[in-house]
Amino acid sequence: MRDIAFVAFLFAFIGLGFRKPFLFVLCFCYIDIVAPQRLSYFLINSIPISLIVFGLAITGWLAVDDKSDTRWSGRQFLLVALLVYCGLTTMQADFPVEAADKWSWVWKALIWAIFLPLTLRTKLRIEALALIMLLSAASIAIAGGIKTAAGGGGYGTLQLLLNENYGLYEGSIMSTVGIAIIPLILWYRRHGTIFPSDWRVTLFCFALCFACMLLPIGTQARTGLVCLAVLAVLSLRAVKNRFLYIAGAGLLAIAAIPFLPQSFTERMETIQGYKADQSASTRVAVWAWTWDYAKENPFGGGFEAYIQNRLRVETTGSGYDPDQPQNAEATVHDEQSRAYHSSYFEMLGEQGYPGLALWLLLHIVGIAQMERLRRRYLKTRRGEEQWIAPLATALQHGHIIYMVGSLFVGIAFQPFIYMMLALEIGLSTYCRRREQEAGWRPLMARPAQVPARHSLPDAR
């Protein structure tokens, strides 16, 4: 039945997509994030659904979509440069077979991030992409939140919709992404027009935010807790009474502690000192190995270069285990082929200094561009413009949370993040096109108007 339902869904989208190719774009975003074909037992799981819809989206845009006002951004050229550079390092990789396997999905993520902004010509398309991204991630976050609220969870044991350690289904990655999308959820609650704001939309958005905040508890991912703290600090920019916000947040955190699982609090306590936790000690050792490796290989070793690491890790405890007491005596562990557990060191070890520089420049420019848009449109009073500054702020906050979370998780090429980056580029080019075409600037004097609900797929 799952296979039949998915086939019907796919053919319905293909039929509509020949009339509105942007639907192919949205369909691919959903498939790339959720991977619903993996829910199938046999038929759909054996077909390259993602690649098929990927091709349909690009072909449909080339053949049918209006490209008269398409504009390129400097960040798309940075993405092209990163794509070419990663291709070159893959050809010279230390482990060609393993590198080719990772390259098989990395190039699609980069190509998609380059292509996606070209389709974001209208506000409706920008909003539709944001909504599809939120709902796709929500299908995973809601499942994890319900299981956590019901008393489930545990480090490496919480099943997020699929029982796989893949993409967003990995606990630390989903915790990071879940916290990063909270600002975007709150933006949609106030400025969404596909589903206009009412009590149902408000209830769903707040419930989804709560589910996202439960993810670090259910997955017991320390990265998620750090990201949640960063979100709390960034939210100070938007609140009117900061003192009350800080006091309320502090009281809420204190009140929540007695309800947290003991295993969660014990694992979070290991943040204080990495020497007492084998996992944290191993990460530090891998980072030190990667730094030394980059000195000898400044252009990196290609994808999956970490396979060759050999480490001796010393800890002052037996590692995180809720059933065993910590051991005060030092213990030495031999480790090998341990992953980077950091996007920064992932880029350094695999792509070397040039790749790391391109990656950092891409994200720093994106955050700076969102700050420029936020300031430019922050005080505008035109109703059709009031969604721009809040969206720029939400994307910027999500981007910063990702950059902090990626310190501890290897998600340098996570497709969801590149969709968010493409959304930023699309917003920037949309605003620039409006300004250049009509000599248009944000106005401060006109009374605000509530934007009407969109009724046409390509409404501006």
Side-chain angles (χ1 to χ4, degrees):
M1 291 300 295
R2 288 179 177 179
D3 291 340
I4 295 174
F6 191 77
V7 168
F9 163 80
L10 184 61
F11 274 100
F13 255 88
I14 291 175
L16 292 172
F18 282 117
R19 296 183 58 192
K20 299 296 180 182
F22 188 66
L23 293 177
F24 284 141
V25 174
L26 299 179
C27 184
F28 177 79
C29 290
Y30 166 73
I31 291 174
D32 205 34
I33 294 171
V34 182
Q37 66 273 21
R38 292 177 177 268
L39 293 170
S40 168
Y41 294 113
F42 174 70
L43 178 61
I44 302 302
N45 204 18
S46 61
I47 301 174
I49 296 294
S50 179
L51 185 60
I52 291 172
V53 180
F54 177 87
L56 287 172
I58 295 180
T59 303
W61 177 79
L62 290 172
V64 181
D65 205 24
D66 181 12
K67 295 175 282 296
S68 59
D69 52 4
T70 297
R71 293 175 181 270
W72 274 73
S73 166
R75 277 171 287 168
Q76 286 170 284
F77 289 107
L78 283 176
L79 284 166
V80 171
L82 183 60
L83 174 67
V84 172
Y85 183 80
C86 289
L88 293 175
T89 59
T90 300
M91 291 188 291
Q92 304 295 326
D94 293 347
F95 299 92
V97 176
E98 291 80 0
D101 183 61
K102 183 173 180 178
W103 171 251
S104 67
W105 61 265
V106 167
W107 72 264
K108 285 194 294 184
L110 294 176
I111 288 288
W112 191 250
I114 297 167
F115 162 74
L116 191 52
L118 303 178
T119 69
L120 302 178
R121 299 183 295 103
T122 67
K123 176 188 181 292
L124 177 57
R125 290 190 172 195
I126 293 173
E127 181 184 335
L129 175 60
L131 179 61
I132 287 295
M133 290 173 60
L134 290 179
L135 293 179
S136 299
S139 64
I140 305 174
I142 291 173
I146 291 175
K147 292 176 182 179
T148 301
Y155 182 63
T157 62
L158 182 66
Q159 181 177 327
L160 298 171
L161 195 63
L162 289 180
N163 188 22
E164 293 191 15
N165 190 21
Y166 168 84
L168 294 187
Y169 296 105
E170 196 278 326
S172 296
I173 296 177
M174 187 59 211
S175 295
T176 300
V177 171
I179 301 302
I181 64 173
I182 289 178
L184 198 57
I185 297 169
L186 297 177
W187 170 84
Y188 191 87
R189 184 188 73 85
R190 295 190 60 185
H191 300 279
T193 56
I194 297 175
F195 295 102
S197 181
D198 60 15
W199 69 269
R200 292 166 297 184
V201 172
T202 298
L203 180 62
F204 176 81
C205 288
F206 283 144
L208 180 55
C209 289
F210 182 65
C212 290
M213 288 187 286
L214 285 177
L215 287 175
I217 300 175
T219 61
Q220 297 187 2
R222 293 168 293 195
T223 304
L225 182 64
V226 173
C227 291
L228 193 58
V230 173
L231 174 62
V233 173
L234 291 174
S235 299
L236 287 170
R237 302 176 71 187
V239 297
K240 295 181 179 179
N241 195 321
R242 297 180 178 177
F243 178 78
L244 288 179
Y245 170 81
I246 295 173
L251 290 174
L252 182 62
I254 294 173
I257 290 177
F259 299 96
L260 297 176
Q262 182 180 357
S263 58
F264 172 79
T265 56
E266 289 177 350
R267 179 164 174 79
M268 295 307 109
E269 288 173 356
T270 61
I271 295 177
Q272 299 176 6
Y274 73 92
K275 280 290 187 180
D277 181 71
Q278 183 177 348
S279 174
S281 299
T282 302
R283 293 188 186 194
V284 174
V286 171
W287 297 346
W289 175 89
T290 306
W291 181 259
D292 293 335
Y293 176 82
K295 291 179 181 178
E296 300 179 1
N297 302 270
F299 296 100
F303 293 125
E304 314 291 20
Y306 73 87
I307 294 175
Q308 59 196 296
N309 64 45
R310 300 292 184 272
L311 312 168
R312 292 184 65 83
V313 182
E314 181 177 320
T315 62
T316 57
S318 58
Y320 172 73
D321 189 339
D323 298 325
Q324 296 181 8
Q326 293 292 312
N327 184 0
E329 297 181 0
T331 306
V332 177
H333 307 271
D334 291 323
E335 304 282 355
Q336 65 181 20
S337 302
R338 295 302 297 264
Y340 300 103
H341 287 290
S342 170
S343 299
Y344 299 84
F345 286 97
E346 177 187 0
M347 291 301 301
L348 181 61
E350 294 184 346
Q351 311 304 325
Y353 295 106
L356 176 62
L358 279 173
W359 184 79
L360 287 173
L361 182 62
L362 178 67
H363 292 292
I364 291 172
V365 170
I367 292 173
Q369 183 67 15
M370 291 302 99
E371 179 65 19
R372 186 191 74 83
L373 286 180
R374 189 189 76 86
R375 294 187 179 187
R376 186 171 178 80
Y377 293 91
L378 186 60
K379 296 181 180 180
T380 182
R381 298 185 62 188
R382 290 172 59 167
E384 68 272 18
E385 304 159 6
Q386 290 190 336
W387 61 276
I388 296 176
L391 179 56
T393 304
L395 290 172
Q396 183 193 55
H397 287 181
H399 204 150
I400 292 172
I401 292 169
Y402 158 73
M403 294 302 289
V404 173
S406 62
L407 284 166
F408 313 104
V409 188
I411 50 176
F413 295 101
Q414 168 55 235
F416 186 91
I417 303 302
Y418 281 88
M419 290 183 197
M420 185 177 289
L421 182 63
L423 189 57
E424 293 179 5
I425 298 173
L427 177 63
S428 299
T429 55
Y430 168 82
C431 294
R432 188 170 72 245
R433 176 176 60 81
R434 289 194 61 183
E435 295 173 8
Q436 292 177 352
E437 286 181 352
W440 175 88
R441 293 182 181 278
L443 298 183
M444 310 292 182
R446 297 184 183 180
Q449 301 175 357
V450 178
R453 179 177 181 179
H454 294 300
S455 58
L456 298 176
D458 283 327
R460 294 178 182 272

